[in-house]
Amino acid sequence: MLSISVIAVVFGVIFLAELPDKTALAGLMLGTRYRPSYVFVGVAAAFVVHVALAIAAGSLLTLLPHRWVQGVVGVLFLGGAAMLLFAKDDDEEEVRAPADQSFWKVSGAGFMLILVAEFGDLTQIMTANLAARYDAPVSVAIGAVLGLWAVAALGIFGGRLLMKRVPLPLITKAAAVVMVVLAALSLYEAATGAALL
Protein backbone atom coordinates (compact mmCIF):
# COMPACT_ATOMS: atom_id res chain seq x y z
CA MET A 1 0.00 0.00 0.00
CA LEU A 2 1.31 3.45 -0.93
CA SER A 3 1.74 6.08 1.77
CA ILE A 4 1.95 9.67 0.57
CA SER A 5 3.37 10.78 3.93
CA VAL A 6 6.19 8.20 3.75
CA ILE A 7 6.94 9.20 0.14
CA ALA A 8 7.08 12.87 1.19
CA VAL A 9 9.36 12.25 4.21
CA VAL A 10 11.71 10.02 2.20
CA PHE A 11 11.77 12.49 -0.69
CA GLY A 12 12.74 15.33 1.66
CA VAL A 13 15.45 13.40 3.49
CA ILE A 14 17.04 11.99 0.34
CA PHE A 15 16.75 15.27 -1.60
CA LEU A 16 18.49 17.25 1.16
CA ALA A 17 21.15 14.59 1.74
CA GLU A 18 21.98 14.25 -1.96
CA LEU A 19 21.95 17.95 -2.88
CA PRO A 20 25.41 18.80 -1.49
CA ASP A 21 26.89 15.50 -2.75
CA LYS A 22 29.75 15.58 -5.22
CA THR A 23 27.87 13.39 -7.70
CA ALA A 24 25.38 16.23 -8.18
CA LEU A 25 28.36 18.36 -9.19
CA ALA A 26 29.61 15.62 -11.50
CA GLY A 27 26.16 15.49 -13.11
CA LEU A 28 26.36 19.25 -13.54
CA MET A 29 29.71 18.88 -15.31
CA LEU A 30 28.38 16.22 -17.66
CA GLY A 31 25.20 18.24 -18.26
CA THR A 32 27.18 21.27 -19.35
CA ARG A 33 29.31 19.26 -21.79
CA TYR A 34 26.72 16.95 -23.31
CA ARG A 35 23.04 16.86 -24.11
CA PRO A 36 21.40 17.08 -20.67
CA SER A 37 18.52 14.73 -21.48
CA TYR A 38 20.97 11.96 -22.45
CA VAL A 39 22.95 12.46 -19.24
CA PHE A 40 19.77 12.42 -17.13
CA VAL A 41 18.59 9.09 -18.59
CA GLY A 42 21.83 7.38 -17.58
CA VAL A 43 21.97 8.98 -14.15
CA ALA A 44 18.29 8.22 -13.47
CA ALA A 45 18.74 4.55 -14.40
CA ALA A 46 21.74 4.22 -12.07
CA PHE A 47 19.78 5.74 -9.19
CA VAL A 48 16.99 3.19 -9.72
CA VAL A 49 19.56 0.39 -9.35
CA HIS A 50 20.93 1.94 -6.16
CA VAL A 51 17.49 2.39 -4.62
CA ALA A 52 16.54 -1.21 -5.43
CA LEU A 53 19.67 -2.46 -3.64
CA ALA A 54 19.02 -0.18 -0.65
CA ILE A 55 15.38 -1.29 -0.36
CA ALA A 56 16.45 -4.93 -0.41
CA ALA A 57 18.96 -4.27 2.40
CA GLY A 58 16.41 -2.30 4.43
CA SER A 59 13.78 -4.99 3.97
CA LEU A 60 16.18 -7.55 5.45
CA LEU A 61 16.54 -5.36 8.54
CA THR A 62 12.79 -5.55 9.14
CA LEU A 63 13.18 -9.26 9.94
CA LEU A 64 14.81 -8.25 13.24
CA PRO A 65 12.73 -7.26 16.31
CA HIS A 66 11.16 -3.80 15.81
CA ARG A 67 12.85 -2.12 18.79
CA TRP A 68 16.28 -3.33 17.68
CA VAL A 69 15.69 -2.06 14.17
CA GLN A 70 14.63 1.37 15.47
CA GLY A 71 17.74 1.53 17.67
CA VAL A 72 20.07 0.64 14.79
CA VAL A 73 18.25 3.02 12.44
CA GLY A 74 18.46 5.84 15.01
CA VAL A 75 22.20 5.39 15.44
CA LEU A 76 22.70 5.24 11.65
CA PHE A 77 20.70 8.47 11.19
CA LEU A 78 22.92 10.15 13.80
CA GLY A 79 25.96 8.86 11.92
CA GLY A 80 24.56 10.23 8.66
CA ALA A 81 23.98 13.64 10.27
CA ALA A 82 27.55 13.63 11.61
CA MET A 83 28.90 12.70 8.18
CA LEU A 84 27.06 15.64 6.62
CA LEU A 85 28.20 18.12 9.25
CA PHE A 86 31.81 17.05 9.68
CA ALA A 87 32.83 15.65 6.29
CA LYS A 88 35.57 17.51 4.52
CA ASP A 89 35.05 18.39 0.86
CA ASP A 90 36.84 15.89 -1.35
CA ASP A 91 38.32 16.87 -4.64
CA GLU A 92 35.80 16.70 -7.46
CA GLU A 93 35.44 13.29 -8.97
CA GLU A 94 37.03 12.92 -12.32
CA VAL A 95 34.43 12.61 -15.02
CA ARG A 96 35.50 10.64 -18.06
CA ALA A 97 34.07 12.32 -21.07
CA PRO A 98 32.55 10.11 -23.75
CA ALA A 99 34.25 10.42 -27.12
CA ASP A 100 31.06 11.35 -28.97
CA GLN A 101 27.59 12.74 -28.34
CA SER A 102 25.57 9.61 -29.13
CA PHE A 103 22.74 8.71 -26.74
CA TRP A 104 24.33 5.41 -25.66
CA LYS A 105 27.78 6.88 -25.02
CA VAL A 106 26.54 9.90 -23.07
CA SER A 107 23.87 8.09 -21.05
CA GLY A 108 26.30 5.22 -20.47
CA ALA A 109 28.87 7.65 -19.06
CA GLY A 110 26.25 9.12 -16.72
CA PHE A 111 25.08 5.64 -15.66
CA MET A 112 28.60 4.39 -14.90
CA LEU A 113 29.57 7.56 -13.05
CA ILE A 114 26.62 7.29 -10.65
CA LEU A 115 26.73 3.49 -10.39
CA VAL A 116 30.33 3.59 -9.15
CA ALA A 117 30.33 6.87 -7.23
CA GLU A 118 27.09 6.31 -5.31
CA PHE A 119 27.65 2.70 -4.25
CA GLY A 120 27.52 2.64 -0.46
CA ASP A 121 27.01 6.41 -0.41
CA LEU A 122 25.18 8.21 2.38
CA THR A 123 21.88 8.40 0.48
CA GLN A 124 21.95 4.68 -0.28
CA ILE A 125 22.50 3.93 3.41
CA MET A 126 19.75 6.40 4.37
CA THR A 127 17.36 4.75 1.90
CA ALA A 128 18.02 1.37 3.52
CA ASN A 129 17.44 2.95 6.96
CA LEU A 130 14.17 4.50 5.82
CA ALA A 131 13.03 1.18 4.31
CA ALA A 132 13.69 -0.48 7.67
CA ARG A 133 12.04 2.32 9.64
CA TYR A 134 8.80 2.49 7.70
CA ASP A 135 8.47 -1.10 6.45
CA ALA A 136 6.84 0.34 3.31
CA PRO A 137 9.33 -0.57 0.58
CA VAL A 138 7.34 0.71 -2.40
CA SER A 139 6.64 4.09 -0.79
CA VAL A 140 10.26 4.45 0.34
CA ALA A 141 11.51 3.47 -3.12
CA ILE A 142 9.25 6.02 -4.84
CA GLY A 143 10.29 8.80 -2.44
CA ALA A 144 13.99 7.97 -2.73
CA VAL A 145 13.97 7.68 -6.53
CA LEU A 146 12.03 10.94 -6.89
CA GLY A 147 14.41 12.72 -4.48
CA LEU A 148 17.48 11.47 -6.32
CA TRP A 149 15.99 12.28 -9.71
CA ALA A 150 15.08 15.79 -8.54
CA VAL A 151 18.66 16.47 -7.44
CA ALA A 152 20.00 14.98 -10.67
CA ALA A 153 17.67 17.17 -12.72
CA LEU A 154 18.68 20.26 -10.74
CA GLY A 155 22.36 19.44 -11.19
CA ILE A 156 22.14 18.54 -14.85
CA PHE A 157 19.64 21.15 -16.04
CA GLY A 158 19.95 24.04 -13.60
CA GLY A 159 22.85 23.47 -11.23
CA ARG A 160 24.71 26.65 -11.89
CA LEU A 161 21.65 28.76 -11.14
CA LEU A 162 20.92 26.87 -7.91
CA MET A 163 24.51 27.14 -6.64
CA LYS A 164 24.34 30.94 -7.02
CA ARG A 165 21.12 31.19 -4.98
CA VAL A 166 21.41 28.55 -2.21
CA PRO A 167 24.67 28.02 -0.32
CA LEU A 168 25.64 24.36 0.02
CA PRO A 169 26.51 24.67 3.74
CA LEU A 170 22.90 25.71 4.43
CA ILE A 171 21.55 22.70 2.52
CA THR A 172 23.95 20.39 4.35
CA LYS A 173 22.87 21.72 7.76
CA ALA A 174 19.18 21.36 6.87
CA ALA A 175 19.73 17.72 5.84
CA ALA A 176 21.64 17.03 9.08
CA VAL A 177 18.82 18.53 11.19
CA VAL A 178 16.23 16.34 9.46
CA MET A 179 18.38 13.25 10.11
CA VAL A 180 18.84 14.17 13.79
CA VAL A 181 15.04 14.48 14.16
CA LEU A 182 14.54 11.07 12.51
CA ALA A 183 17.26 9.62 14.76
CA ALA A 184 15.54 10.98 17.85
CA LEU A 185 12.19 9.53 16.76
CA SER A 186 13.74 6.13 16.02
CA LEU A 187 15.65 6.01 19.32
CA TYR A 188 12.52 7.06 21.24
CA GLU A 189 10.58 4.24 19.56
CA ALA A 190 13.39 1.79 20.37
CA ALA A 191 13.37 2.82 24.03
CA THR A 192 9.60 2.93 24.55
CA GLY A 193 8.25 0.54 21.93
CA ALA A 194 5.73 3.23 20.87
CA ALA A 195 5.41 4.04 17.16
CA LEU A 196 5.38 7.79 16.44
CA LEU A 197 5.34 7.91 12.63
Side-chain angles (χ1 to χ4, degrees):
M1 185 165 93
L2 286 181
S3 168
I4 300 300
S5 62
V6 170
I7 291 171
V9 167
V10 172
F11 176 89
V13 169
I14 298 301
F15 181 85
L16 287 172
E18 184 66 18
L19 202 52
D21 194 76
K22 58 187 175 268
T23 51
L25 299 174
L28 166 65
M29 288 172 38
L30 279 175
T32 57
R33 293 182 194 169
Y34 302 101
R35 182 178 256 173
S37 58
Y38 290 4
V39 175
F40 181 77
V41 168
V43 167
F47 277 136
V48 169
V49 171
H50 277 286
V51 168
L53 292 172
I55 295 296
S59 296
L60 288 176
L61 284 176
T62 62
L63 300 175
L64 297 172
H66 180 72
R67 291 175 87 167
W68 288 13
V69 170
Q70 293 309 322
V72 169
V73 167
V75 169
L76 289 173
F77 275 131
L78 284 176
M83 284 174 62
L84 281 173
L85 290 174
F86 303 116
K88 302 223 187 297
D89 289 338
D90 295 335
D91 293 334
E92 269 186 25
E93 290 181 18
E94 202 171 309
V95 178
R96 292 198 173 206
D100 62 48
Q101 291 277 333
S102 75
F103 171 79
W104 293 110
K105 296 269 184 178
V106 172
S107 61
F111 180 84
M112 289 309 296
L113 171 72
I114 297 302
L115 194 66
V116 172
E118 289 288 304
F119 196 79
D121 194 42
L122 176 64
T123 50
Q124 191 175 34
I125 294 167
M126 290 298 106
T127 301
N129 289 348
L130 289 161
R133 174 168 176 65
Y134 290 111
D135 196 20
V138 174
S139 297
V140 171
I142 290 170
V145 166
L146 291 177
L148 292 167
W149 284 0
V151 171
L154 279 174
I156 292 167
F157 297 107
R160 284 193 178 139
L161 203 77
L162 179 71
M163 299 299 184
K164 289 179 184 175
R165 305 238 188 270
V166 183
L168 282 180
L170 177 64
I171 295 165
T172 301
K173 286 177 183 164
V177 166
V178 170
M179 286 186 198
V180 167
V181 169
L182 287 171
L185 292 172
S186 295
L187 292 172
Y188 176 81
E189 287 182 17
T192 64
L196 295 174
L197 292 176

